[in-house]
Amino acid sequence: MASLWEYANPRKFIAASDRVLPWIGGIALVSLVVGLVWGFFFTPEDYRQGASVKIIYLHVPSALMAINAWLMMLVASLIWIVRRHHVSALAARAAAPVGAVMTVIALVTGALWGQPIWGTWWVWDPRLTSFLILFLFYLGYIALWSAIENDDTAADLTSVLCLVGSVFALLSRYAVLFWNQGLHQGASLSLDKDENVADVFYLPLLVCIAGFVLLTIALVLMRTQTEIRARRMRALIARERMG
């Protein structure tokens, strides 16, 4: 059995990801189509929230992926700091735009859901505020990578930024537990079945979450491949200039 660290080799990583990407992408597409069609067209309206409850099929999965994309970046950044594998640093860089887009989707769908339920598009609720700060960290991370020409220096500094931003990723996930205030409801998914949404919404939601998870993985793999090739191109250009 091949060691996980073998895939720190860029060629092996690209070869392995080429093999699994069609499967991951295909299953992600099927899951998203099935989950969203099931959720939006074959579930009833909620007795209190009406049709607006169906935003859950976009809001909850995107919010989960916004947080988990940052945690993915954290793991990759720690690997870079400890093992100095360039693929891990580039994977962290690749995940940032994906996580930023997921955060935007979560914020926008949250506003669309909150307006009819709360009577306002935005409140400075602990979870909403920490989520907005997480989005700003995403922007700062992307900007810092772009501002530094040397890839190793950029990886070092962005890894530190990722460690700091991880505090807000955790706050985004657990803010309602830390502060007993705010309008945002508790978790829609819980190990406690009494706190979960009703089964009629719960099952299609799980399918949508699976689709978002696989979509995120597929996008990160594709973007990591792109970052590896871009790094090779920069190295070749620098070598030609020196030669």
Side-chain angles (χ1 to χ4, degrees):
M1 181 177 178
S3 168
L4 181 63
W5 299 116
E6 290 185 23
Y7 297 104
N9 181 297
R11 291 183 180 178
K12 287 189 176 182
F13 177 87
I14 290 176
S17 55
D18 277 340
R19 289 195 296 270
V20 300
L21 263 173
W23 292 96
I24 295 175
I27 298 172
L29 179 61
V30 171
S31 299
L32 287 172
V33 170
V34 170
L36 292 175
V37 170
W38 183 4
F40 279 105
F41 298 104
F42 296 97
T43 57
E45 296 183 3
D46 183 67
Y47 74 99
R48 287 186 299 182
Q49 302 182 41
S52 64
V53 72
K54 298 186 180 185
I55 298 175
I56 194 174
Y57 302 115
L58 290 173
H59 179 68
V60 170
S62 61
L64 287 174
M65 289 304 98
I67 297 168
N68 285 301
W70 190 277
L71 295 180
M72 203 184 301
M73 290 161 56
L74 172 63
V75 172
S77 297
L78 289 173
I79 292 173
W80 164 254
I81 292 171
V82 175
R83 302 293 294 257
R84 311 300 286 183
H85 290 319
H86 286 97
V87 170
S88 63
L90 296 176
R93 182 178 188 177
V98 179
V101 170
M102 291 294 177
T103 308
V104 170
I105 295 173
L107 288 170
V108 171
T109 54
L112 293 174
W113 196 359
Q115 203 283 329
I117 305 304
W118 301 339
T120 181
W121 301 98
W122 178 266
V123 291
W124 292 102
D125 178 281
R127 179 174 284 183
L128 273 65
T129 303
S130 59
F131 220 79
L132 177 61
I133 295 173
L134 175 62
F135 175 63
L136 297 177
F137 267 98
Y138 269 121
L139 295 183
Y141 183 94
I142 295 168
L144 187 58
W145 259 109
S146 301
I148 301 172
E149 290 187 9
N150 184 278
D151 285 344
D152 288 358
T153 302
D156 288 337
L157 295 178
T158 53
S159 294
V160 174
L161 179 62
C162 188
L163 292 174
V164 176
S166 297
V167 174
F168 291 95
L170 290 174
L171 285 178
S172 298
R173 176 65 181 86
Y174 298 108
V176 171
L177 301 180
F178 294 158
W179 293 288
N180 186 23
Q181 59 181 341
L183 294 176
H184 198 288
Q185 68 183 50
S188 298
L189 300 175
S190 171
L191 294 177
D192 184 354
K193 187 172 177 60
D194 292 336
E195 295 183 9
N196 284 328
V197 296
D199 285 346
V200 69
F201 303 115
Y202 182 75
L203 297 178
L205 177 58
L206 289 181
V207 177
C208 288
I209 289 173
F212 268 80
V213 169
L214 294 172
L215 175 63
T216 300
I217 293 172
L219 291 174
V220 171
L221 287 176
M222 286 190 291
R223 285 190 50 78
T224 303
Q225 289 185 342
T226 301
E227 293 293 345
I228 291 172
R229 294 186 176 108
R231 187 176 187 277
R232 285 178 179 172
M233 184 69 69
R234 290 192 295 270
L236 289 173
I237 293 172
R239 190 178 304 169
E240 288 181 2
R241 288 176 178 172
M242 294 176 64

